[in-house]
Amino acid sequence: MKHLFLVRHAKSNWADDQLSDRDRPLNARGQSQLPPLGKALKSAGAFEGEIYSSDATRALATLEGVLPETIPPARCHSRSELYMFDYRRLLDWLEQRGDEARILLVGHNPALLELAQWLLKQPPEQLPTASFIHIRLPVTHWHQLERGNGKLVTLLTPAEFSYAHFSRKLKKKARTGGDNPAKDIPAALHHQLQRVRQLEQGVIVGLDDEFLHEYRIAIRRSRAIAESVQEVTGDKALARAVKTLKRHANATGPLRDLHVFLQDLPALCGDNHEIQAALQVWVGREAASRHQKLVKRLTSKRYHESMEQWLNLIDSRKFHKLAATLSPKDIRKAVERRIKWFNRRTAELMHTSPDDDIHRLRKQLKRIRYLMELDAKTWKGELKTLKDRQQLYGRFQDLHVQIELLGQFQQAAPEVLPAALAGIRQTLEDRKADARNQILALGGLDGAPL
């Protein structure tokens, strides 16, 4: 069995027309493609065999930018004959390789794409810059290659392994709170649904945490708008849809919590690199397990059917009529009811209150905010205050979760020095206590009596 990784060089610079094609460097966008491409290649196991590159400047710069420092120079080869654009010549070169089980090749289109199309029964149509194809070949020797006998293992583009590159061409989000709810609210929900479907592949690939973060925002935003409309109108069909969206959002929570904890570990552990390494291994393993479960969910028939049902609902005439019935007066009444509940529960809050009490207040803040956003012009000043509050309550919840995760780690790894973990736990407890004090000092919201 042979493995072939075909890597197209990153985006090159055409600004200097005095340079020959072979000497063209990477442009700024190409340089930005390299770190996520390197991470994706490493995850796919592309660096485990021999590594070849065209001697063109843009190909060599791509290889240099993605190559891990641990790879010995003896496994990296620059070849002038790989500066080619005819796949038949590339195929001839490949058939002359020796016993290498895995080959990574940084080269050029159209040769790379056309070679992949020759090797695969169901070939890709495109191979953008900084993309790669992993092909598994059922042969013992490279000279045994045959047309269509390869199997596609992976085809990844920058838009799938890097959120920054995925988001380059995204449309700005549609907003609620305009002058025409019957049009604005369905448009906003359509936009969020489109975002969800576009982000799914990046979440499934799992190489950039930002995909999951943005997916959560889109799902929760959809649920919030629907929940707000349902609260004002009392529609039962919307209530069922809200529950489904809530389940999808909740399924992402544990993985998101692990991502946040992983990001915070360096600062938490300080100079204790042994503890940091042990925690990173454990969190990484837990995150991989959670990601696997989420992928299973996102690729299930039930999930896709639920998304189709949601689309049908927001496209329906009934929903458009519901949206049209919303008035600023109705929204204000709903907001005031929520604020009244929030202020009453806030007045009851004490230093000794359970963390869940603050968690419930955090969720209520979100509901108030999303209701206000149905009439954003009226509530512009209040919305800024709510966003600031949400960050504080959200940080409190993150700290609560991280303390729980630390306890789970301690149970899973009792051999780790308790004293070192006690110091980290105390840091988290102190930060949580500080956040609680800030929350208590804020009191209730303006806009409704206690």
Side-chain angles (χ1 to χ4, degrees):
M1 190 70 68
K2 302 293 187 184
H3 291 265
L4 178 64
F5 295 85
L6 300 175
V7 184
R8 187 179 176 192
H9 62 80
K11 194 76 173 176
S12 57
N13 194 330
W14 292 81
D16 189 349
D17 56 11
Q18 300 299 312
L19 288 176
S20 67
D21 180 75
R22 190 187 291 262
D23 295 329
R24 285 193 290 110
L26 300 181
N27 64 13
R29 180 176 156 200
Q31 292 288 348
S32 71
Q33 291 172 328
L34 299 181
L37 173 59
K39 181 179 179 181
L41 287 168
K42 183 177 180 181
S43 176
F47 298 117
E48 295 173 10
E50 294 299 301
I51 300 165
Y52 294 89
S53 173
S54 156
D55 68 346
T57 299
R58 57 191 183 277
L60 290 172
T62 297
L63 179 57
E64 181 181 354
V66 301
L67 201 62
E69 294 180 358
T70 54
I71 301 298
R75 285 208 278 118
C76 302
H77 317 278
S78 171
R79 295 287 187 265
S80 60
E81 63 267 26
L82 293 177
Y83 175 67
M84 65 174 75
F85 306 95
D86 185 336
Y87 86 93
R88 289 164 296 192
R89 291 175 56 200
L90 188 55
L91 179 60
D92 289 341
W93 177 87
L94 192 60
E95 289 176 333
Q96 296 172 33
R97 295 309 93 211
D99 296 330
E100 302 103 312
R102 305 169 80 88
I103 289 178
L104 181 152
L105 170 60
V106 181
H108 309 267
N109 267 359
L112 294 181
L113 178 59
E114 290 177 355
L115 176 61
Q117 291 171 338
W118 189 87
L119 289 170
L120 297 167
K121 288 182 180 178
Q122 296 180 324
E125 296 182 359
Q126 294 182 332
L127 183 65
T129 55
S131 301
F132 74 92
I133 301 174
H134 176 192
I135 301 172
R136 186 166 63 240
L137 300 155
V139 297
T140 305
H141 304 286
W142 291 101
H143 63 77
Q144 296 172 325
L145 295 177
E146 295 180 7
R147 187 185 190 100
N149 74 337
K151 181 175 181 180
L152 178 64
V153 179
T154 304
L155 167 60
L156 287 181
T157 68
E160 293 170 316
F161 57 71
S162 167
Y163 179 78
H165 291 92
F166 163 84
S167 63
R168 284 182 61 249
K169 296 182 179 180
L170 290 181
K171 294 180 180 178
K172 292 182 179 180
K173 67 179 181 180
R175 295 181 179 275
T176 54
D179 298 323
N180 188 352
K183 180 179 178 182
D184 295 340
I185 291 174
L189 289 172
H190 262 285
H191 175 77
Q192 295 301 332
L193 178 57
Q194 183 183 30
R195 288 270 294 168
V196 166
R197 304 322 301 262
Q198 290 172 331
L199 287 159
E200 285 166 356
Q201 183 59 26
V203 175
I204 290 169
V205 170
L207 290 171
D208 188 337
D209 297 349
E210 192 64 20
F211 281 106
L212 178 68
H213 175 65
E214 295 294 332
Y215 173 88
R216 277 172 57 80
I217 289 174
I219 280 282
R220 294 164 82 188
R221 171 71 61 183
S222 299
R223 173 200 166 191
I225 295 173
E227 187 177 57
S228 299
V229 175
Q230 193 275 328
E231 178 170 347
V232 175
T233 63
D235 185 74
K236 293 183 179 180
L238 265 180
R240 291 191 294 271
V242 166
K243 287 182 179 179
T244 300
L245 293 171
K246 181 180 179 180
R247 285 197 298 271
H248 294 328
N250 287 347
T252 67
L255 182 55
R256 179 263 180 192
D257 291 336
L258 289 163
H259 287 169
V260 173
F261 194 30
L262 199 57
Q263 291 170 3
D264 289 348
L265 279 181
L268 280 172
C269 297
D271 295 331
N272 197 329
H273 301 298
E274 184 179 352
I275 292 292
Q276 181 179 333
L279 278 165
Q280 285 175 332
V281 169
W282 181 80
V283 173
R285 187 168 58 244
E286 292 292 309
S289 175
R290 288 291 184 177
H291 179 252
Q292 190 175 18
K293 290 179 181 178
L294 184 57
V295 168
K296 185 176 180 180
R297 182 186 190 91
L298 295 184
T299 54
S300 69
K301 181 179 178 181
R302 183 179 180 184
Y303 171 81
H304 288 283
E305 285 177 347
S306 72
M307 290 292 101
E308 191 65 28
Q309 291 167 1
W310 174 237
L311 174 62
N312 292 337
L313 190 153
I314 60 180
D315 271 345
S316 67
R317 184 179 301 178
K318 178 183 177 181
F319 181 76
H320 282 252
K321 286 184 177 179
L322 282 175
T325 63
L326 294 177
S327 69
K329 183 179 179 181
D330 293 328
I331 295 167
R332 174 172 284 279
K333 286 182 178 179
V335 168
E336 289 177 347
R337 284 197 303 270
R338 291 280 185 186
I339 290 178
K340 185 176 181 180
W341 183 97
F342 179 88
N343 286 350
R344 185 171 64 251
R345 292 301 178 90
T346 297
E348 297 168 356
L349 197 64
M350 302 172 64
H351 287 282
T352 55
S353 297
D355 290 356
D356 281 348
D357 287 358
I358 295 178
H359 181 49
R360 280 190 286 271
L361 287 169
R362 180 181 67 85
K363 292 193 287 187
Q364 186 74 331
L365 272 178
K366 286 194 299 182
R367 293 188 178 100
I368 294 169
R369 174 186 163 190
Y370 295 143
L371 274 169
M372 287 180 175
E373 286 180 345
L374 293 178
D375 185 20
K377 292 180 181 178
T378 299
W379 302 93
K380 186 176 180 180
E382 289 82 358
L383 280 169
K384 185 180 184 306
T385 300
L386 283 183
K387 290 177 183 178
D388 292 340
R389 280 211 182 203
Q390 271 188 263
Q391 289 182 352
L392 176 58
Y393 282 65
R395 187 56 184 158
F396 179 89
Q397 180 64 17
D398 285 343
L399 291 163
H400 168 87
V401 170
Q402 289 178 7
I403 292 168
E404 290 188 335
L405 289 172
L406 198 64
Q408 293 171 23
F409 168 75
Q410 197 161 11
Q411 288 183 347
E415 71 280 2
V416 177
L417 292 175
L421 292 178
I424 296 174
R425 176 183 288 275
Q426 190 59 53
T427 297
L428 291 171
E429 293 283 6
D430 290 345
R431 291 176 182 177
K432 192 177 78 167
D434 181 62
R436 179 188 287 267
N437 288 336
Q438 291 182 57
I439 288 169
L440 288 168
L442 287 172
L445 294 169
D446 294 334
L450 288 173

